[in-house]
Amino acid sequence: MKEIKITDLSPFKIGQKEDPSGRTGCTVVLHDTGAVGGVSVRGGAPGTRETDLLRPENLVQHIHGLFLSGGSAFGLDVGSGVMKFLEEKGIGFDVQVAKVPIIPGAILFDLTDDPAVKRPDAQLGYEAARSAYEAPAFQMGNYGAGAGASVGKALGKTHSMKGGIGSWACRIGQVEIGAVAAVNSFGDVVDPATGKVIAGLYEGNEFLHTEKQLLHQMEDTDTNRFKGNTTIGTILTNAALTKAEASKVADAAHDGLARTIRPSHTFVDGDTIFCMSDNQVPCDTNALAAAAALCMEKAVLNAVLSSASTEEYPAAKDSHKKG
């Protein structure tokens, strides 16, 4: 196994764009000729677009990209901007009278009541798509869909830390696989190698451990902290997959969330993972599923460890918290 950059998966183009405030944004992944797509939604509060068409029994076999965005449901408008850009390039599903770009996506909740923060919209999606072609790059931390992300929400904003966006990829023989994750979880982020919290719910200089806090307040009724949650991401690979197999790989990638985010897949998270396959290299799907979970695990850790502190949230790399 050789570690590579997510941008080394050459058929895929990645673009990111942030609001001028730097407190929300979007990330897009594009594929000129269309990739086999799959999706797995595990969280209880998802916000998604075009996920039904990824069901294996449905007509369309390829997607031309996907988006991950902040802005809660308002951020779904990002997909329209990506579609507009690709239509101008003549990319899409040919319906004779037009080529319709197929762009599924998912959103996370980073809304704020600050009027200076503009929600991700079609224009931001258009600009992110354009950057994927004109200046393809991927920056981890406070960028794209991770710009406004935070983690550890059980006691509210003043006890939360900075989340972000991260990636990790590898090459095993001829198979290439990578993950992108925008980490904005209700729960804490844990390093599975040590079992220690690296970012999450805290008070003073101590981590409070979200799972323990939830168990202690089992009989409380006010645990619906809907503001600020959801981890979203995608697996990218050149492995040959059917639509059904792509969804199962996305399913397996959720193991990476479960290893690193505690708790994950809660009623107040909309945890959603896509899979995009360039459909080139035959391989064992069980092995690929295991690799997908590993890539997602490392992408989550990189998202948090790459993020920088803001006025609102301390970052893991600046923290000396214990517990």
Side-chain angles (χ1 to χ4, degrees):
M1 179 189 297
K2 179 182 178 182
E3 182 178 350
I4 60 176
K5 296 179 180 178
I6 196 70
T7 50
D8 290 338
L9 279 71
S10 57
F12 303 100
K13 298 179 176 69
I14 303 179
Q16 302 198 95
K17 199 71 178 179
E18 301 80 44
D19 175 74
S21 70
R23 293 165 65 187
T24 191
C26 64
T27 300
V28 303
V29 183
L30 306 179
H31 192 289
D32 286 350
T33 57
V36 175
V39 67
S40 176
V41 181
R42 291 283 189 90
T48 59
R49 168 179 166 142
E50 295 274 46
T51 50
D52 277 352
L53 64 79
L54 296 177
R55 293 170 62 93
E57 70 269 22
N58 289 337
L59 173 66
V60 175
Q61 295 299 305
H62 297 90
I63 63 175
H64 304 97
L66 59 79
F67 68 91
L68 310 171
S69 180
S72 187
F74 297 106
L76 293 173
D77 197 28
V78 163
S80 298
V82 180
M83 285 187 69
K84 183 176 186 295
F85 178 85
L86 292 182
E87 183 185 22
E88 291 173 359
K89 295 186 71 66
I91 295 172
F93 180 65
D94 193 348
V95 295
Q96 298 185 341
V97 296
K99 287 188 176 180
V100 181
I102 307 300
I103 308 295
I107 49 86
L108 56 80
F109 194 119
D110 61 0
L111 292 179
T112 172
D113 57 4
D114 186 344
V117 181
K118 184 180 178 183
R119 297 164 180 162
D121 57 10
Q123 183 60 37
L124 203 69
Y126 185 96
E127 292 173 5
R130 182 170 59 190
S131 74
Y133 275 84
E134 296 179 358
F138 184 82
Q139 291 179 284
M140 295 194 289
N142 306 35
Y143 297 95
S150 55
V151 299
K153 317 293 178 57
L155 296 180
K157 187 174 182 178
T158 57
H159 296 270
S160 303
M161 292 181 65
K162 188 71 183 79
I165 195 164
S167 70
W168 196 83
C170 65
R171 183 181 295 118
I172 307 171
Q174 293 184 318
V175 176
E176 295 178 343
I177 183 169
V180 174
V183 182
N184 187 56
S185 56
F186 174 80
D188 307 320
V189 176
V190 177
D191 183 348
T194 64
K196 293 184 178 180
V197 176
I198 58 175
L201 183 68
Y202 77 93
E203 186 168 43
N205 200 39
E206 302 286 336
F207 286 117
L208 299 180
H209 299 271
T210 298
E211 286 183 325
K212 291 181 180 179
Q213 294 296 318
L214 290 176
L215 293 176
H216 289 159
Q217 62 182 47
M218 180 71 75
E219 296 182 356
D220 290 353
T221 57
D222 186 19
T223 59
N224 184 18
R225 318 288 186 184
F226 70 90
K227 289 187 177 180
N229 304 318
T230 294
T231 295
I232 51 179
T234 188
I235 296 295
L236 306 177
T237 183
N238 66 353
L241 296 173
T242 65
K243 284 176 71 177
E245 289 169 339
S247 288
K248 288 301 291 183
V249 169
D251 221 24
H254 277 282
D255 291 352
L257 297 193
R259 293 172 190 166
T260 52
I261 299 174
R262 300 181 188 171
S264 57
H265 311 124
T266 73
F267 286 95
V268 293
D269 284 288
D271 298 339
T272 300
I273 296 177
F274 295 94
C275 176
M276 291 180 70
S277 165
D278 191 42
N279 202 30
Q280 296 296 319
V281 182
C283 73
D284 178 72
T285 51
N286 286 316
L288 189 73
L294 176 65
C295 289
M296 188 57 66
E297 171 188 318
K298 291 181 176 292
V300 169
L301 295 179
N302 283 341
V304 171
L305 294 172
S306 300
S307 294
S309 296
T310 65
E311 291 183 3
E312 296 175 298
Y313 303 112
K317 64 183 178 182
D318 300 322
S319 172
H320 302 287
K321 302 183 192 321
K322 302 174 183 179

